[in-house]
Amino acid sequence: MDKDSMLTHILQSEGPASLLGGQSPVTVINGSQHISPLTSGGPEARGPDGEADSGRPSLDSAIRTALSEGTKTVVLEGPDGSGKTTALQRLVVGWARGRNLQNFSFVFHFGLGRLNSLGGALSLEALMLRHHGHLLPGSVPQLLQDPEGVLFVFDDLDQWRHSLDPSALPHLCSDPGEEAPVSRLVAGLLHGSLLRGASFLVATRPAEGQKFPSGARLQVLGFLKPQREAYMEGFFSADPAAATTARRHMESTLGFYDICTSPRFCWTVCSVYKSLMDAGAKLPETLTQLYVEILARLIQSLQLNEARSRALVSALGKMASHCLLHQHSSCTKEEMDSFGFGQDLASVGVFLRVDGDGPVFSFHSQPMLEFNLATSFLLDASAAEGVEELLERHRGRADFLDVFLTGLSEPAQRRPLEAPLGELDPGRVADFARWFRSSSEATLKGRHKDQHRRRFHLLLQTQNESLVKEVAAASAQTGIGYGDPTLRDCVALNYVFSCIGEMELLNLYRTRDLTEEQAKALAPAMSLCRKINLSDSSLSPGAVPHLASALSGGLTEELDLSHVRLGEEEFRRLCEGLRNCKLRVLKLLACELTEAVCGDLASALTSGAAQLREMDVRFNPIGDRGFVKLCKALQSPLCRLQELKLQKCELTAASMEALMSDRCLLTELDLSLNNLGQEGALLLCHALRRPGCPIEKLSLSRCELTPPVFRELSSALRGGTSRLKSLVVGLNAVGDEGVKPLWEAVAHPNCVHEDLDVEMTGLTDECARDLCAALRAGGALRSLELRNNSLTDASVPALVRAAQDSDSMQEMNLQYNDISEDVFDVMDECGKIRY
């Protein structure tokens, strides 16, 4: 094959750039700063927000690798504008220039959308000669004899209107000389019956019900952040600051970060932004405003009067609806005539892609298709269909329709479009506004989190602060919660929170990967929340500084980071935010904190601006040395901590002498599941006996306590100086005699004890007499936890009477003892008994 002729054919076949179609592939190929989109082996490799790690291969290299390894069919799957067509033509041009794929003797490129209109019967040879007129005479028989050296490149498989299902065809062609409809030729090629041994490179958008040929699948990811940065630096090479402004604005302000992966979209946005920047105009705040700007420019370029402009947009809307409902990405001339284009059909190249000799017409992108549908709906009230009917009819097929309707209902956003089109129908706009307000209030009162997300996205599109306040007022009182937010979610939440000004709760429970960009977008919203729940979540290292920034100077009073694994450096960054915040409750349960970070935490606790009152560090291996560091903070007059939970923190008696400071303000201390032993527990008892000791609640469950410890606890309770009102000593098997001193304390007039937990301490019926006597004598105990002991039916009548006779007792729990159904009636006589 004459590669020079092939190259000339390709490079001369493309038209100029268009605002919607983007730069022509040839322009990109010949450019000096081509940036290949990225790919992965499948959709599961795509991360949240469509991002992926930097190790993803470029699309160009992934295709070359697959074909060089002998893969016969490679399918590229990706959305509009993701770079598939450019990648295909770049490879063909590279082959013609001798740079790649030189193991193939012949490479043929077909746009399947252009073949739809071909009628009659053709042989494979005739088809190739018809669409590749540059072929040398006699070359086709040569390639037919060596199919292993042939590569077919099929673009736009999603536009192919014929079935590829072998069961739907009479038979598959196998003879290259046989004349058959083009649909059977293409099916025979892709299924391997025709020209067996040839290779195929196929590109398609995701299409419902499409029968893809078997082979390697490459998911086209488009541009991720590094590629976008490089692309925009090239586009705005004369002004690096403009490049940064444009990228940040496109990625976050528009609120639809995921479509920014499209190279074509990047070119369109850059083109619009550059013209606006050059004119000193404001950049669009929403996706709707961007498409308003685009459509207004395209209409104005045609210089039509208002009536024809409205008729043209109406026809585009009918075409858009047809494409959505029938899942056709392209339309024939006959179909276009039925939509009412009439004399303006020659002008549609400004809005649409026109392929083939037929020709066939298609929208350049799904968002533009849906924007035309939304505009035409609000432009003309002649149709009886209302907004709910419109949305229901296109449900599951339209991703942006409600977004654009919402934006267009706001006067400030649609104003540039009304210059060439005239005013949108006031009745339609008012009807939509009423529907949106009522449906938003109903949605946000419901429990469906996915619907909540979508509504926040729509509220962002309104850019109407007073409307957001009115619609989302109830959410401010109850809070907003869902895990795994995308960056789009974060941007929308940030806007809604900024309008409301204050939020009770942001619940991000089980967010699998809060990235730096997500946290940055969400930080202003987090600073407005009274409570933030990130428990069981995963935070990237870059996300932590933004969380710390939100806490510092923010409104947050409670933060739950339980089961969040933070490295030492990330935890230090978090502690910086704790130095100047309003946080009163911090939950760090099971965060794998060690002694190394306790110094940073102690420093934060003693900051003059720190307000922390409750801290939960249970199930962290901080050890004695870490606890001693925390205790130094507790001894500082600047520390305001009152409640500290230290269950299973690998503490021993060695660190107990550190709760002994006169300056400690702790009112609640939980040391359960630590091997304190007798020595450590006795040190605690001495602290309890100290006049002025503030501890009111002490938990020592499963701490290896001994009878002498129970005696010392009893002595402290009876001493008249202890403020202890709640004591948990369960799961310490000291038996009846070991617990007996506590009954003596309960009976003592100096004891102010109100809640006692002796679960699983080995109690039997032998304790019942002393226990009942204590309940009758004492006047403070309200709650008694007796679960998981060895009490039997014999003790029940006496315990029930004692509970009934006690004025203070409110609840006695006898669950999981050796009590039978025979005494259930007896226990039912007293409402204070739980069994």
Side-chain angles (χ1 to χ4, degrees):
M1 180 184 288
D2 186 343
K3 291 184 177 180
D4 290 337
S5 298
M6 175 71 155
L7 184 62
T8 300
H9 169 75
I10 294 174
L11 296 181
Q12 292 180 348
S13 63
E14 293 296 326
S18 67
L19 191 58
L20 290 175
Q23 289 177 294
S24 68
V26 172
T27 303
V28 178
I29 291 169
N30 288 331
S32 60
Q33 292 185 323
H34 169 72
I35 300 172
S36 177
L38 301 186
T39 184
S40 69
E44 70 280 354
R46 183 186 290 265
D49 309 322
E51 292 296 296
D53 61 73
S54 57
R56 297 293 178 214
S58 71
L59 181 58
D60 293 349
S61 65
I63 296 172
R64 291 196 299 267
T65 299
L67 291 173
S68 65
E69 292 176 348
T71 304
K72 289 298 183 182
T73 302
V74 179
V75 179
L76 314 183
E77 185 178 3
D80 289 319
S82 57
K84 304 184 298 298
T85 295
T86 299
L88 296 183
Q89 294 206 7
R90 181 175 171 80
L91 284 169
V92 175
V93 168
W95 171 81
R97 288 173 171 168
R99 296 176 180 172
N100 55 47
L101 305 180
Q102 296 305 292
N103 53 316
F104 294 105
S105 303
F106 302 92
V107 175
F108 298 95
H109 181 276
F110 290 91
L112 289 179
R114 295 170 180 254
L115 300 183
N116 277 318
S117 59
L118 282 181
L122 293 171
S123 68
L124 178 60
E125 180 176 354
L127 175 65
M128 296 169 75
L129 287 172
R130 179 168 180 169
H131 281 269
H132 291 273
H134 58 279
L135 287 174
L136 295 176
S139 60
V140 175
Q142 177 187 348
L143 71 89
L144 295 178
Q145 294 176 7
D146 182 26
E148 297 284 343
V150 179
L151 171 65
F152 287 93
V153 179
F154 287 154
D155 198 3
D156 299 325
L157 179 64
D158 52 280
Q159 293 191 26
W160 187 239
R161 286 194 162 193
H162 307 284
S163 175
L164 290 175
D165 186 352
S167 64
L169 299 171
H171 70 274
L172 293 175
C173 292
S174 58
D175 181 1
E178 177 186 357
E179 291 189 347
V182 175
S183 59
R184 286 174 55 198
L185 293 180
V186 172
L189 286 169
L190 288 175
H191 287 293
S193 65
L194 184 60
L195 211 63
R196 187 181 299 275
S199 298
F200 299 89
L201 180 57
V202 183
T204 182
R205 292 186 302 175
E208 184 178 348
Q210 181 65 272
K211 293 285 186 179
F212 293 114
S214 60
R217 298 283 292 277
L218 297 177
Q219 183 82 4
V220 183
L221 301 178
F223 283 172
L224 305 187
K225 185 176 181 179
Q227 289 74 41
R228 283 192 293 273
E229 289 179 348
Y231 181 85
M232 291 189 158
E233 286 172 1
F235 191 99
F236 294 95
S237 57
D239 189 351
T244 301
T245 298
R247 179 182 61 79
R248 290 176 178 173
H249 195 277
M250 179 181 72
E251 290 178 347
S252 58
T253 306
L254 292 180
F256 280 82
Y257 186 94
D258 41 3
I259 63 174
C260 299
T261 60
S262 164
R264 182 198 297 161
F265 184 77
C266 288
W267 184 87
T268 299
V269 171
C270 286
S271 300
V272 174
Y273 280 13
K274 187 176 188 306
S275 63
L276 291 173
M277 289 176 176
D278 291 345
K282 185 179 180 181
L283 298 183
E285 292 295 323
T286 67
L287 196 65
T288 300
Q289 286 181 335
L290 174 68
Y291 279 96
V292 162
E293 187 72 30
I294 293 172
L295 185 57
R297 290 181 182 214
L298 295 178
I299 294 174
Q300 289 166 343
S301 71
L302 296 176
Q303 297 183 335
L304 303 177
N305 60 35
E306 182 179 298
R308 286 184 64 185
S309 296
R310 292 174 76 94
L312 179 58
V313 171
S314 177
L316 287 168
K318 292 175 183 177
M319 176 187 175
S321 181
H322 174 84
C323 290
L324 285 175
L325 294 176
H326 295 88
Q327 294 292 286
H328 287 170
S329 58
S330 61
C331 296
T332 64
K333 183 180 181 302
E334 291 73 20
E335 289 171 325
M336 298 294 283
D337 290 338
S338 71
F339 302 143
F341 282 98
Q343 62 179 324
D344 293 318
L345 188 60
S347 304
V348 297
V350 173
F351 304 94
L352 305 174
R353 174 178 166 180
V354 184
D355 291 313
D357 300 327
V360 292
F361 305 83
S362 58
F363 285 95
H364 287 288
S365 69
Q366 182 79 5
M368 196 62 194
L369 179 154
E370 296 184 33
F371 182 76
N372 277 281
L373 177 56
T375 303
S376 65
F377 175 79
L378 294 176
L379 193 65
D380 183 12
S382 60
E385 185 178 47
V387 61
E388 291 185 81
E389 292 81 6
L390 176 76
L391 293 174
E392 183 60 35
R393 192 157 61 95
H394 297 89
R395 187 181 301 278
R397 297 182 173 92
D399 296 324
F400 302 95
L401 184 56
D402 56 351
V403 169
F404 292 135
L405 288 169
T406 302
L408 288 169
S409 68
E410 293 295 325
Q413 297 198 53
R414 66 176 184 263
R415 189 169 294 120
L417 191 57
E418 290 182 322
L421 284 180
E423 187 180 29
L424 299 187
D425 185 78
R428 280 282 202 199
V429 173
D431 287 344
F432 178 83
R434 283 191 293 269
W435 172 84
F436 180 74
R437 187 184 302 270
S438 61
S439 64
S440 296
E441 292 173 348
T443 295
L444 295 179
K445 289 178 182 177
R447 297 180 178 273
H448 299 286
K449 301 304 180 186
D450 288 341
Q451 294 181 14
H452 286 198
R453 293 175 192 247
R454 188 66 177 182
R455 198 55 54 159
F456 293 138
H457 298 162
L458 299 182
L459 289 172
L460 169 65
Q461 291 297 309
T462 69
Q463 291 294 295
N464 186 329
E465 182 176 338
S466 61
L467 175 63
V468 174
K469 284 182 178 180
E470 182 178 345
V471 169
S475 298
Q477 303 300 320
T478 59
I480 292 173
Y482 46 75
D484 285 335
T486 64
L487 185 58
R488 188 197 299 186
D489 294 331
C490 295
V491 172
L493 281 173
N494 190 58
Y495 175 74
V496 172
F497 282 34
S498 66
C499 291
I500 296 174
E502 185 176 325
M503 185 65 63
E504 178 63 23
L505 169 66
L506 175 61
N507 188 351
L508 299 176
Y509 171 68
R510 282 193 173 176
T511 293
R512 284 172 289 187
D513 183 20
L514 187 68
T515 67
E516 179 178 358
E517 289 181 294
Q518 291 170 343
K520 182 179 180 180
L522 203 54
M526 290 192 288
S527 70
L528 297 172
C529 294
R530 296 293 181 186
K531 299 178 183 178
I532 300 174
N533 183 5
L534 279 164
S535 61
D536 284 290
S537 296
S538 173
L539 277 63
S540 69
V544 177
H546 295 292
L547 174 59
S549 175
L551 296 174
S552 181
L555 302 179
T556 308
E557 297 178 350
E558 181 174 325
L559 174 64
D560 190 346
L561 289 173
S562 299
H563 301 281
V564 175
R565 276 48 170 177
L566 296 177
E568 291 182 13
E569 184 58 34
E570 287 73 46
F571 193 78
R572 290 191 180 97
R573 297 297 299 272
L574 176 66
C575 288
E576 291 176 5
L578 300 179
R579 299 176 189 276
N580 181 28
C581 67
K582 295 183 178 180
L583 205 64
R584 299 176 67 88
V585 180
L586 177 60
K587 298 179 180 180
L588 298 169
L589 184 146
C591 290
E592 297 185 359
L593 304 181
T594 63
E595 175 258 329
V597 302
C598 288
D600 299 292
L601 190 53
S603 179
L605 289 172
T606 55
S607 167
Q611 303 292 321
L612 205 61
R613 298 295 193 274
E614 303 176 26
M615 187 165 69
D616 185 349
V617 291
R618 291 177 292 168
F619 300 96
N620 287 290
I622 64 173
D624 290 323
R625 296 174 63 179
F627 183 45
V628 169
K629 291 181 179 180
L630 291 180
C631 289
K632 290 181 180 178
L634 297 177
Q635 296 166 10
S636 168
L638 297 177
C639 179
R640 296 171 174 82
L641 198 66
Q642 297 175 348
E643 299 181 18
L644 180 59
K645 297 181 179 179
L646 293 159
Q647 278 191 26
K648 201 172 178 59
C649 287
E650 300 183 6
L651 307 182
T652 69
S655 59
M656 289 303 101
E657 190 171 357
L659 283 163
M660 307 265 318
S661 169
D662 292 342
R663 292 188 294 270
C664 179
L665 299 177
L666 284 181
T667 60
E668 181 176 336
L669 178 62
D670 188 347
L671 292 167
S672 299
L673 304 179
N674 287 291
N675 188 13
L676 303 183
Q678 179 170 297
E679 179 184 358
L682 288 176
L683 287 171
L684 282 175
C685 293
H686 294 325
L688 291 174
R689 300 184 67 166
R690 174 175 49 82
C693 177
I695 294 180
E696 297 179 358
K697 182 176 181 179
L698 177 64
S699 297
L700 298 171
S701 178
R702 192 180 285 176
C703 285
E704 307 299 326
L705 304 185
T706 61
V709 174
F710 278 73
R711 288 196 294 270
E712 285 298 315
L713 285 171
S714 174
S715 178
L717 291 172
R718 291 182 283 115
T721 59
S722 173
R723 300 180 185 177
L724 197 63
K725 295 182 179 181
S726 177
L727 177 63
V728 179
V729 288
L731 286 78
N732 290 287
V734 294
D736 293 325
E737 287 300 314
V739 177
K740 185 176 180 179
L742 293 184
W743 309 143
E744 297 172 0
V746 168
H748 200 280
N750 287 341
C751 182
V752 295
H753 202 63
E754 297 178 348
D755 304 296
L756 178 61
D757 185 340
V758 288
E759 176 186 3
M760 203 180 291
T761 51
L763 298 177
T764 69
D765 292 335
E766 293 297 321
C767 75
R769 184 177 61 181
D770 294 329
L771 169 55
C772 292
L775 293 178
R776 290 191 176 91
L781 199 64
R782 300 181 308 175
S783 171
L784 178 60
E785 187 67 63
L786 294 169
R787 287 185 304 170
N788 289 299
N789 281 292
S790 300
L791 300 170
T792 70
D793 294 359
S795 302
V796 169
L799 292 174
V800 169
R801 287 195 298 271
Q804 287 176 324
D805 295 343
S806 172
D807 293 332
S808 62
M809 178 62 63
Q810 297 178 5
E811 180 178 278
M812 180 188 295
N813 192 345
L814 295 173
Q815 291 178 319
Y816 312 119
N817 277 277
D818 297 331
I819 297 174
S820 72
E821 296 181 2
D822 295 342
V823 293
F824 282 5
D825 289 343
V826 177
M827 291 188 288
D828 286 339
E829 295 175 1
C830 179
K832 303 176 182 180
I833 303 294
R834 289 183 58 196
Y835 66 92

